[in-house]
Amino acid sequence: MVEFSFLQPDRPAAFKDKFVTKVNECLTSYSDGARGEVGVLGLPLSKTSISLSQSSEAPNSIRACLSAFTTFSGKKDTDYKNIKVLDFGDVQVHPTDMEESIERIRISVREMLTRNACNRYILLGGDHGISYPSIRAFGEHYGKIGVIQWDAHHDVRNLEDGGRTNGTPFRSLMEGGHLKGDNLIQIGIRDFANAKVYHEYTKEKGVTIYTIDDIECTGIEPIIKKELDRLSNFVDIIYLSVDMDVVDQAFAPGCPAIGPGGITSRELLSSISAAASHQKVKAMDLVEIDPSKDFRDMTSRLAAAAMLRFMYTV
């Protein structure tokens, strides 16, 4: 006779402390009529990447890494375990048609927003190509949109050499009339990472650019706060687009376009906290993580930590 069984069908063999709540435990699958503070949607598209990438696997990788964090903030002496996060799952992209996939993402983001289920949203890429349909959908729903883009690159490549890719989202948005150049802020642009013609293009469009040198001189949080104050006078909502290759390769080795000289993980997290506290900030995307290139999930863990800074701002 077996006195006690340690068999656990369909359950992981994980230690559970009854006093600890992990962030992944707060994710609830969306159902009709549900309400939550934050909505999460996966956009697993990597076919628009100009380099080989498995960033389509990132939404699941980032979600899994939420189990590494608790809901308690010692800094704020606050437990956020009652903050409800609705998970809308992943958009089913087309297996071969990139334009169809882009349109599916736009439609899906619009559908999520029309449910009016959450106050703010997190979009998990995917490569940076997902930002074009996502930002477009937010603009269609809310009105005039402003964007703060963390990135080593301008992402305004021409559309003739390959169509819409992860290097073209902001050119597509500006030329499509979905985003004014004056309402785009680029933070962390790295030296020797862009072509002169694209640098000149952003200047012509009125894009505000802060390089790594600017961050070193001024600090990243004062830049964020300054641009939030300015943008809020001209737009209805503000969208944060975080390309993880803005972070130095030492902290984010799982990016397809890693490079030295980027911002630190602490600079990324502190700047997202500063931005997320603004009332007009409604959404954030996290893009350009390839789990197959990562080391011990370092980049996905950083993205998960960024999610916490966005979700738990009060």
Side-chain angles (χ1 to χ4, degrees):
M1 179 177 176
V2 178
E3 295 183 358
F4 189 83
S5 176
F6 293 95
L7 296 176
Q8 300 184 93
D10 300 321
R11 290 176 57 193
F15 174 78
K16 175 61 180 173
D17 186 320
K18 62 184 178 182
F19 296 113
V20 175
T21 303
K22 296 297 185 73
V23 176
N24 65 304
E25 297 175 51
C26 298
L27 266 66
T28 303
S29 295
Y30 173 77
S31 58
D32 286 341
R35 288 283 302 168
E37 282 78 13
V38 181
V40 176
L41 177 65
L43 307 177
L45 180 66
S46 59
K47 287 184 171 65
T48 55
S49 180
I50 60 176
S51 56
L52 293 176
S53 172
Q54 294 183 33
S55 56
S56 57
E57 303 298 322
N60 285 337
S61 178
I62 297 169
R63 285 187 183 98
C65 286
L66 290 173
S67 64
F69 299 92
T70 72
T71 57
F72 175 69
S73 167
K75 177 181 178 180
K76 297 181 180 180
D77 193 21
T78 303
D79 197 327
Y80 294 97
K81 63 183 179 181
N82 293 322
I83 296 291
K84 191 172 183 181
V85 182
L86 298 181
D87 193 338
F88 287 81
D90 290 355
V91 172
Q92 185 176 11
V93 297
H94 194 279
T96 58
D97 191 329
M98 288 195 296
E99 287 295 336
E100 171 66 18
S101 292
I102 289 170
E103 182 63 6
R104 287 186 185 187
I105 288 173
R106 186 189 69 83
I107 292 171
S108 299
V109 174
R110 277 296 302 272
E111 181 184 353
M112 176 182 69
L113 296 177
T114 58
R115 302 292 176 89
N116 196 31
C118 303
N119 299 317
R120 296 190 299 164
Y121 299 88
I122 297 173
L123 298 309
L124 302 178
D127 63 42
H128 217 159
I130 64 96
S131 295
Y132 166 57
S134 180
I135 292 171
R136 182 179 169 188
F138 271 88
E140 291 169 352
H141 183 80
Y142 284 105
K144 187 178 291 186
I145 191 167
V147 176
I148 300 180
Q149 170 195 355
W150 283 253
D151 210 323
H153 312 96
H154 293 300
D155 284 358
V156 294
R157 290 177 183 267
N158 74 83
L159 297 171
E160 289 75 36
D161 293 334
R164 299 196 200 280
T165 69
N166 64 338
T168 67
F170 297 100
R171 189 184 200 104
S172 295
L173 286 163
M174 288 187 285
E175 295 192 352
H178 311 295
L179 174 67
K180 289 181 61 178
D182 293 342
N183 295 334
L184 173 60
I185 317 300
Q186 297 185 331
I187 294 175
I189 299 299
R190 202 173 300 164
D191 211 10
F192 301 108
N194 298 276
K196 179 177 174 61
V197 66
Y198 299 135
H199 176 76
E200 292 174 344
Y201 175 86
T202 56
K203 291 294 187 181
E204 290 168 5
K205 291 293 185 179
V207 178
T208 301
I209 299 168
Y210 291 94
T211 66
I212 289 294
D213 287 342
D214 294 325
I215 292 172
E216 287 187 358
C217 291
T218 308
I220 196 165
E221 288 188 55
I223 290 172
I224 293 290
K225 292 174 182 176
K226 173 186 174 182
E227 293 303 332
L228 284 169
D229 290 341
R230 184 183 70 82
L231 267 182
S232 62
N233 294 318
F234 305 105
V235 301
D236 298 308
I237 69 159
I238 298 171
Y239 181 111
L240 314 179
S241 184
V242 182
D243 186 326
M244 294 295 289
D245 69 25
V246 72
V247 182
D248 191 282
Q249 61 187 10
F251 304 97
C255 297
I258 59 171
I263 66 174
T264 67
S265 57
R266 282 187 291 182
E267 286 175 320
L268 177 69
L269 297 177
S270 66
S271 59
I272 289 175
S273 290
S277 63
H278 196 282
Q279 61 181 359
K280 283 198 173 182
V281 171
K282 291 291 184 182
M284 175 180 70
D285 68 36
L286 293 160
V287 299
E288 297 296 341
I289 298 173
D290 183 345
S292 72
K293 294 181 171 67
D294 212 357
F295 176 74
R296 296 195 66 186
D297 296 322
M298 285 175 59
T299 317
S300 291
R301 282 174 181 253
L302 179 56
M307 288 181 66
L308 270 62
R309 295 301 181 102
F310 185 85
M311 294 189 297
Y312 304 148
T313 56
V314 294

